[in-house]
Every structure is written in structure tokens, then in C-alpha cells.
Amino acid sequence: MTDDTLRSALVDYALRLGDTSLVLGHRLSEWCGHAPELEEDLALANMALDLVGHARMWLAFAGETEGKGRDEDRLAYHRDGFDYRNHLLVEQPNRDFGHTIARQFLHDAWSVGLYERLASSANPEVAGIAAKAVKEVRYHLRHSGEWVVRLGDGTEKSRAIMADAFDRLSRYTDEMFEADGVERTLTAAGIAPDPEELRAGWEARVDAVLAEATLSRPAIHGRQTGGRSGRHTEHLGHLLAEMQFLQRAYPGATW
Amino acid sequence: MYTQGLDAKPADNTIPFNRTDPELERRFQERVDAEEKIEPRDWMPDGYRRTLVRQISQHAHSEIVGMLPEGNWITRAPTLRRKIALLAKVQDEGGHGLYLYSAAETLGVSRDELVEQLLSGKAKYSSIFNYPTLTWADIGTIGWLVDGAAIMNQVPLCRCSYGPYARAMIRICREESFHQRQGYEIVMTLAQGTPEQKRMAQDSLDRWWWPALMMFGPSDDASAHSAQNMRWKIKRFSNDELRQKFVDATVPQAEYLGLTIPDPDLRFNAETGHYEFGTIDWSEFERVLKGDGPCNRERLEARNKAWDDGAWVREAALAHARKRESRAAAQNQAGARGRA
Ligand SMILES: [Fe+2]
Ligand SMILES: [Fe+2]
């Protein structure tokens, strides 16, 4: 494998992780000031802060590795949807607190497994970012998992909302375990795990919590993927239009 | 200030002082005069307790409602660094709300009661948060002017006679001054930026200057019970004194930025060493405080919507906690039977 192949795989991989963190962080930040209780407002903001922080590390790393002078903001604010590489799961709208929590939980159960593996990546920068992020995503998983249990095993209404949320969102989860040339290149170089290897751990984490929540993992109907190569749902365009507004409206300005 | 509703006339000549015990009052006042802190279990006059509950809860409500205008720009922050800084700032304000509700609870009211008063529109919060955030520059201006004005008022409150309030204020003030610097830095970046950014900064200052001055509350001769609050050391400086301090500190900052304060009467008086400024439109202040400001309805609606939308979540959390308790109790019983 040439240095160029490896380099471009690393850039793509970092964009996938960075965009996924950024889009999810952005979604969580939409809650600020509107959560069901004050403590939860602060907790959602905390997770959003962590995730946007992870996004900054990944995007900065992607830009440096690429070597074309794109920094984190160039990457975040000046790419259109078809260049965004996030999972479809995280761009799904907040809907209500239950859907937000289900989305978060499905993602966290994946990112904990991933970051634990990436922490021993052959690439020291990747390992460094993962080692820092893993502590935070473990906390996120605990938090979202606790809410899944509370809401699943709460009232009839809350249980119905959570069942609906998992039903709606499950179709987007397979994407997290997909691999293409990017992952295969990095797996061969010992830089990233084979995504499929993360599946068993994810299922175990998800099933354990769902069982406690008196829910079960729904069968996947109409599996959706494509975010990792820039094919998104309708929701991402609106998110980007809002997020990128100032940078687009005032090109070249410093903020 | 964040509690300006307190001294708006004819607000509160109604606070009754029923538990009059001259001896206890005399000892209480002695302790206050000696700068001792009054703690939750200490005897205190009813009026003192009520004034504090109202002041602290208005302050808490202001922090919470204040999350809305700034939260309006989190999803549109122009860089990732700014996005994080703004989100963290709004989160801090929520944290301030939390400490302040806790401080109010030490006086024997529950957070639920206080929140209920906010949601029903009965409780007041600072008039400033009923103005809209129309551009990114407003995020800078709010940090610079609104947090700046808050600091002027709150630093003296760190020495408030009531211990829990004073301690909450110490923590809060540290964060507010960070917010203020951050806001000023945003405005500075705009003021030194492109002509469009500079216009954005000036427009923002034009809209926020007078409402910021109103944050200090009515002028001293119209203020209802400053004197008693001064005696109780709940208040240390009068509204006008604080407003003057704010103007004196802020005008040079605006000059440094190359921005114009929207007040043709503003001038420096070399003799007094203070800036003199034009007349505040108190009718606007009264209107906003009464509920007819540009965004009063939106703010209350947003708080009510968050609360109502969250009802099923809070109910579920409660139901789950009860189930846990009864399961644990059943287990304990089974355990006890097993040992018997
Ligand atoms: Fe605050
Ligand atoms: Fe603040």
C-alpha cells in the first residue's frame, strides 16, 4: 500500500468520525434551554460539548493529514452534504427527548467499543484522540443507558415512545458496522479495527440495557446506509444550512 | 438588574412584617451590622426572608430565561471554537440558575413552587432577556454589556448578609467575568473585521445599550425599598450608583472598539470624573417589565413548552424510581424472611 493510499484513507476515516461527532453534537445543542428539566439541560449540553470537542480533534487531524490547508472550520463550514461523511443515525432529528436518548444510546454503545479499540491504534495521533474521547463517551453511554432504562421501564406512555424510537432508528444502525476500502486499508495497517468486529460488543451493550428497560432490539426494516460516502437523508441539508449560515453569508470574514 | 422587578413601583409596599419581635430584630440587625453572615437556621425577620426569596428567585429565573436569547445562536455559531464557547456559556447560566434555586430553597420554598411562578407569568425576571438576538453580534454584545452589567450588580452581592446567597454569588461572579471578556472579544473581532461585521457590531450596540442601562432598575428616587435592603445588607449600592459605574466602565471600551454609544447626550464631565448620559425611556422599561416587551411572550411560551413537553419524561423518571424502590423493598423483605 502506498503512503498516498494510507494518507487518503486516514483523512476519510477522520472525516467520518469527525462529522459523526459534529452532527450529533449539533443535534444535542439544539436542546439547549428546552430540556425536560434543568439538570438534563446541563447534561445534554455537556455531551454536546464533548462531541463537538471530539469533532474538532478529528477534523483538525483530517486537515493536517490531508495537507491542503483546510482547518477544522474550513471542513465543518465549507462542505456541502455530499461531502459530509457522518452516519445517517446521528443526523436524524431530535423529535422528542425519547428519540434523542435512543439515538444517543445506539451511537454511544458503538462509539465506546470503537474508541476502546482505537486507543491502541498503530497511529499515535488516532490513539491519542481516542484515549481522550473514550472516557467521555463511556460517561455518555452510562447517561443515555440510564435514561433508556428509566423511560422504557417508566410509564406506559414513555415505554411506547421508546419502543417507537428504537423502531424508527434501528434501520440506521447497520451503517456503523460497514467497511469499504477506507476501513480495510486502515485495518490492514493496524490503525483501525474491522467495523464488523464491533458488532458483537455493540449488540451485547444494547441488549443488556434494553432488557433492563423491558424493551427489545427491533428487527431492522428498510436498512438505510450511505452517510459514510455522502448519501444522506433529507435532514442533513437543513442542519448544514443553519450551521453554516454565517460562513456562507460572509465569505472570507474572520469570526 | 436581574432582580429589577423588586424595586419597580408600585410593586411591593405589601411585604408584611408580621413576626415583630423587637429583641430578636435588634440582635439580628447587630449581626448584620457586624458583617456576620445570616445562615438558613438563624432567626430572621419575615420581610428579610421574603425579600431574599423574591430576589434570589428572580435572579434564578433570569438565568434560566436568559438561556433562550443566547441559545438562539448556538446552532449558528460561526466557528467550532465559538460554538463550544457559547454552548458552555449558556450551560453556565443554567448552572447559575441551579445554584440560585438551591439558595432560595434554604429559605423554605421549593424549586417547583418557584418554577410554577415563572411559568404562570407571576414571577418577574430581568427585562433584558425580553429583547431579541437578531445577529451573531448580539452574542458578543450580551456578553459584554449584559454580563458586564450583571457583574457590577453581583460583585457587591458576594458580600450579601445572607450566607448561601453570598456564596452562590462568589462562584457565579467568577464565571460572569469570564463571559464578559469572551463577549467583548467577540465584539472586538467584529469591530476589527469587514465593514459588514463592523455594521453588525454597531447595530447590536444600538439595540442593546439602553436596555442594558435599564437592567439596573428604576432610578433611586423611584425605587421602592432600597433603604431597608441597604440596612439589611442585601443591597450595597443604589441602582443609580451601579448604573453610573457601568457607564463609566463601558464607554471607554466602546471607544476603544471604535463603536458609537447611541446617546447624543453622552459626555465626560472632567470635574466629576463621570460620564453624563441621556434620559432613559422609563415607559419602555415599564412596558417590558409588565409583559409587553418584544419577546416576553416568546420567552414564557418557550419555557412553558419545554416544561409541558418534558412532563412525560419527569413522570416516567418518577414512576421508574418508585418501581425500583418497591422492588428493593420486596427484595429486602424476602431477604429478611430467608434469614428468619
Ligand atoms: Fe449567569
Ligand atoms: Fe453570564
Side-chain angles (χ1 to χ4, degrees), chain A residues 140-177:
Chain A
H140 300 177
L141 175 62
R142 202 171 69 207
H143 187 77
S144 60
E146 283 170 0
W147 270 112
V148 169
V149 171
R150 259 180 230 130
L151 298 175
D153 186 22
T155 61
E156 245 173 75
K157 179 174 180 178
S158 69
R159 186 173 187 281
I161 289 174
M162 293 317 283
D164 176 64
F166 283 109
D167 190 48
R168 256 171 218 282
L169 295 170
S170 285
R171 65 201 310 224
Y172 302 109
T173 53
D174 249 8
E175 185 179 21
M176 302 191 288
F177 308 105

Coordinates of all heavy atoms in Angstrom, one line a residue, chain A residues 140-177:
Chain A
H140 N -21.1 9.2 28.5 CA -22.3 9.4 27.7 C -23.2 8.1 27.6 O -24.4 8.1 27.8 CB -22.0 9.7 26.2 CG -21.2 11.0 26.1 ND1 -20.8 11.4 24.8 CD2 -20.8 11.9 27.0 CE1 -20.1 12.6 25.0 NE2 -20.1 12.8 26.3
L141 N -22.5 7.0 27.4 CA -23.2 5.7 27.4 C -23.9 5.4 28.7 O -25.1 4.9 28.7 CB -22.3 4.5 27.0 CG -22.9 3.1 27.0 CD1 -24.0 3.0 26.0 CD2 -21.8 2.1 26.8
R142 N -23.3 5.7 29.8 CA -23.9 5.5 31.1 C -25.2 6.3 31.2 O -26.2 5.9 31.6 CB -22.9 5.8 32.2 CG -23.3 5.1 33.5 CD -22.3 5.2 34.6 NE -22.2 6.6 35.0 CZ -21.1 7.1 35.5 NH1 -20.0 6.4 35.6 NH2 -21.1 8.4 35.9
H143 N -25.0 7.6 30.8 CA -26.1 8.5 30.9 C -27.3 8.1 30.0 O -28.4 8.1 30.4 CB -25.6 9.9 30.6 CG -26.6 11.0 30.9 ND1 -26.9 11.5 32.1 CD2 -27.4 11.7 30.0 CE1 -27.8 12.4 32.1 NE2 -28.2 12.5 30.8
S144 N -27.0 7.9 28.7 CA -28.1 7.6 27.8 C -28.7 6.2 28.2 O -29.9 6.1 28.1 CB -27.6 7.6 26.4 OG -26.6 6.7 26.1
G145 N -27.9 5.3 28.6 CA -28.4 4.0 29.0 C -29.3 4.1 30.2 O -30.4 3.4 30.3
E146 N -28.9 4.9 31.2 CA -29.8 5.1 32.4 C -31.1 5.7 32.0 O -32.2 5.3 32.5 CB -29.1 6.0 33.4 CG -28.0 5.3 34.2 CD -27.2 6.3 35.0 OE1 -27.5 7.5 35.0 OE2 -26.3 5.8 35.7
W147 N -31.1 6.6 31.0 CA -32.4 7.2 30.6 C -33.2 6.1 29.8 O -34.5 6.1 29.9 CB -32.2 8.4 29.7 CG -32.2 9.7 30.6 CD1 -31.1 10.5 30.8 CD2 -33.3 10.2 31.3 NE1 -31.4 11.5 31.6 CE2 -32.8 11.4 31.9 CE3 -34.6 9.9 31.5 CZ2 -33.6 12.2 32.7 CZ3 -35.4 10.7 32.3 CH2 -34.9 11.8 32.9
V148 N -32.6 5.3 29.0 CA -33.3 4.3 28.3 C -34.1 3.4 29.3 O -35.2 3.1 29.1 CB -32.4 3.4 27.4 CG1 -33.1 2.2 26.8 CG2 -31.8 4.3 26.2
V149 N -33.4 3.0 30.3 CA -34.0 2.2 31.4 C -35.2 2.9 32.0 O -36.3 2.4 32.2 CB -33.0 1.7 32.4 CG1 -33.6 1.0 33.6 CG2 -31.9 0.8 31.7
R150 N -34.9 4.2 32.4 CA -36.0 4.9 33.1 C -37.2 5.1 32.2 O -38.3 4.9 32.7 CB -35.4 6.3 33.4 CG -35.0 6.5 34.8 CD -34.5 8.0 35.0 NE -33.2 7.9 35.7 CZ -32.1 8.5 35.3 NH1 -32.1 9.2 34.2 NH2 -31.0 8.3 35.9
L151 N -37.0 5.4 31.0 CA -38.1 5.7 30.1 C -38.8 4.4 29.6 O -40.0 4.3 29.5 CB -37.7 6.5 28.9 CG -37.1 7.9 29.3 CD1 -36.6 8.6 28.0 CD2 -38.2 8.8 30.0
G152 N -37.9 3.4 29.4 CA -38.5 2.1 29.0 C -39.3 1.5 30.1 O -40.5 1.0 29.9
D153 N -38.8 1.5 31.3 CA -39.4 0.9 32.4 C -40.0 2.0 33.3 O -39.8 2.0 34.5 CB -38.4 0.1 33.2 CG -39.1 -0.7 34.4 OD1 -40.3 -0.9 34.3 OD2 -38.4 -1.0 35.3
G154 N -40.7 2.9 32.7 CA -41.3 4.1 33.4 C -42.8 4.0 33.4 O -43.4 3.2 34.1
T155 N -43.4 4.7 32.5 CA -44.9 4.7 32.4 C -45.2 4.0 31.1 O -44.3 3.8 30.2 CB -45.5 6.1 32.4 OG1 -44.9 6.8 31.2 CG2 -45.2 6.9 33.6
E156 N -46.5 3.7 30.9 CA -46.9 3.1 29.6 C -46.6 4.0 28.4 O -46.1 3.6 27.4 CB -48.4 2.9 29.6 CG -48.8 1.4 29.6 CD -50.3 1.3 29.8 OE1 -51.1 1.6 28.8 OE2 -50.7 0.9 30.9
K157 N -46.8 5.3 28.7 CA -46.6 6.3 27.6 C -45.1 6.3 27.2 O -44.7 6.3 26.1 CB -47.1 7.6 28.1 CG -46.8 8.7 27.0 CD -47.4 10.1 27.4 CE -47.1 11.1 26.3 NZ -47.7 12.4 26.6
S158 N -44.2 6.4 28.3 CA -42.8 6.5 28.0 C -42.3 5.3 27.3 O -41.4 5.3 26.4 CB -42.0 6.8 29.3 OG -42.0 5.7 30.1
R159 N -42.8 4.1 27.7 CA -42.4 2.9 27.1 C -42.8 2.8 25.6 O -42.0 2.4 24.8 CB -43.0 1.7 27.8 CG -42.5 0.4 27.3 CD -43.1 -0.8 28.2 NE -42.4 -2.0 27.8 CZ -42.7 -2.7 26.7 NH1 -43.7 -2.3 26.0 NH2 -42.1 -3.8 26.4
A160 N -44.0 3.3 25.3 CA -44.4 3.4 23.9 C -43.5 4.3 23.1 O -43.2 4.0 21.9 CB -45.9 3.8 23.8
I161 N -43.2 5.4 23.7 CA -42.3 6.4 22.9 C -41.0 5.8 22.7 O -40.4 5.9 21.5 CB -42.2 7.7 23.7 CG1 -43.5 8.4 23.7 CG2 -41.1 8.5 23.2 CD1 -43.6 9.7 24.6
M162 N -40.4 5.1 23.6 CA -39.1 4.4 23.4 C -39.2 3.3 22.4 O -38.2 3.2 21.6 CB -38.5 3.9 24.8 CG -38.2 5.0 25.8 SD -37.3 6.5 25.0 CE -35.7 5.8 24.8
A163 N -40.2 2.5 22.5 CA -40.3 1.4 21.5 C -40.4 2.0 20.1 O -39.7 1.5 19.2 CB -41.6 0.6 21.8
D164 N -41.2 3.1 20.0 CA -41.3 3.7 18.6 C -39.9 4.3 18.2 O -39.5 4.2 17.1 CB -42.3 4.9 18.7 CG -42.3 5.6 17.4 OD1 -42.7 5.0 16.4 OD2 -42.0 6.8 17.4
A165 N -39.2 4.9 19.2 CA -37.9 5.5 18.8 C -36.9 4.4 18.3 O -36.3 4.6 17.3 CB -37.3 6.2 20.1
F166 N -36.8 3.3 19.0 CA -35.9 2.2 18.6 C -36.4 1.6 17.3 O -35.5 1.3 16.5 CB -35.8 1.2 19.7 CG -34.9 1.7 20.8 CD1 -35.4 1.9 22.1 CD2 -33.5 1.8 20.6 CE1 -34.6 2.4 23.1 CE2 -32.7 2.3 21.6 CZ -33.2 2.6 22.9
D167 N -37.7 1.6 17.1 CA -38.2 1.0 15.9 C -37.8 1.9 14.7 O -37.3 1.5 13.6 CB -39.7 0.9 16.0 CG -40.3 0.1 14.8 OD1 -39.7 -0.9 14.5 OD2 -41.2 0.6 14.2
R168 N -37.9 3.2 14.9 CA -37.6 4.2 13.8 C -36.1 4.2 13.5 O -35.7 4.4 12.4 CB -37.9 5.6 14.3 CG -39.1 6.2 13.8 CD -39.3 7.5 14.6 NE -40.7 7.7 14.8 CZ -41.6 8.2 13.9 NH1 -41.1 8.5 12.7 NH2 -42.8 8.2 14.2
L169 N -35.3 4.1 14.6 CA -33.9 4.4 14.4 C -33.0 3.2 14.1 O -31.9 3.3 13.6 CB -33.3 5.1 15.7 CG -33.9 6.4 16.0 CD1 -33.5 6.9 17.4 CD2 -33.5 7.5 15.0
S170 N -33.6 2.0 14.3 CA -32.8 0.8 14.1 C -32.3 0.6 12.7 O -31.2 0.1 12.4 CB -33.6 -0.4 14.5 OG -33.6 -0.5 15.9
R171 N -33.1 1.1 11.7 CA -32.7 0.9 10.3 C -31.4 1.6 10.0 O -30.8 1.4 8.9 CB -33.9 1.4 9.4 CG -34.1 2.9 9.6 CD -35.5 3.4 9.1 NE -35.8 2.9 7.8 CZ -36.4 3.6 6.9 NH1 -36.7 4.9 7.0 NH2 -36.8 3.0 5.7
Y172 N -31.0 2.6 10.8 CA -29.8 3.3 10.5 C -28.5 2.7 11.2 O -27.4 3.3 11.1 CB -29.9 4.8 11.0 CG -31.1 5.5 10.3 CD1 -32.2 5.8 11.0 CD2 -31.0 5.8 8.9 CE1 -33.3 6.5 10.4 CE2 -32.1 6.4 8.3 CZ -33.2 6.7 9.0 OH -34.3 7.4 8.4
T173 N -28.7 1.7 12.0 CA -27.6 1.2 12.8 C -26.6 0.3 12.1 O -25.4 0.3 12.5 CB -28.1 0.5 14.1 OG1 -29.0 -0.6 13.7 CG2 -28.8 1.4 15.0
D174 N -27.1 -0.4 11.1 CA -26.1 -1.3 10.4 C -25.0 -0.5 9.8 O -23.9 -1.1 9.6 CB -26.9 -2.0 9.3 CG -27.0 -3.4 9.6 OD1 -26.7 -3.8 10.7 OD2 -27.5 -4.2 8.7
E175 N -25.2 0.7 9.4 CA -24.2 1.5 8.8 C -22.9 1.6 9.6 O -21.8 1.7 9.1 CB -24.7 2.9 8.5 CG -23.7 3.8 7.7 CD -24.2 5.2 7.4 OE1 -25.2 5.7 8.1 OE2 -23.7 5.8 6.5
M176 N -23.1 1.6 10.9 CA -21.9 1.7 11.8 C -20.9 0.6 11.7 O -19.8 0.7 12.1 CB -22.4 1.8 13.3 CG -23.4 2.9 13.5 SD -23.7 3.3 15.2 CE -24.8 1.9 15.7
F177 N -21.4 -0.6 11.1 CA -20.5 -1.7 11.0 C -20.1 -2.0 9.6 O -19.5 -3.0 9.3 CB -21.3 -2.9 11.6 CG -21.8 -2.6 12.9 CD1 -23.2 -2.4 13.1 CD2 -20.9 -2.5 14.0 CE1 -23.7 -2.1 14.4 CE2 -21.4 -2.2 15.3 CZ -22.8 -2.0 15.5

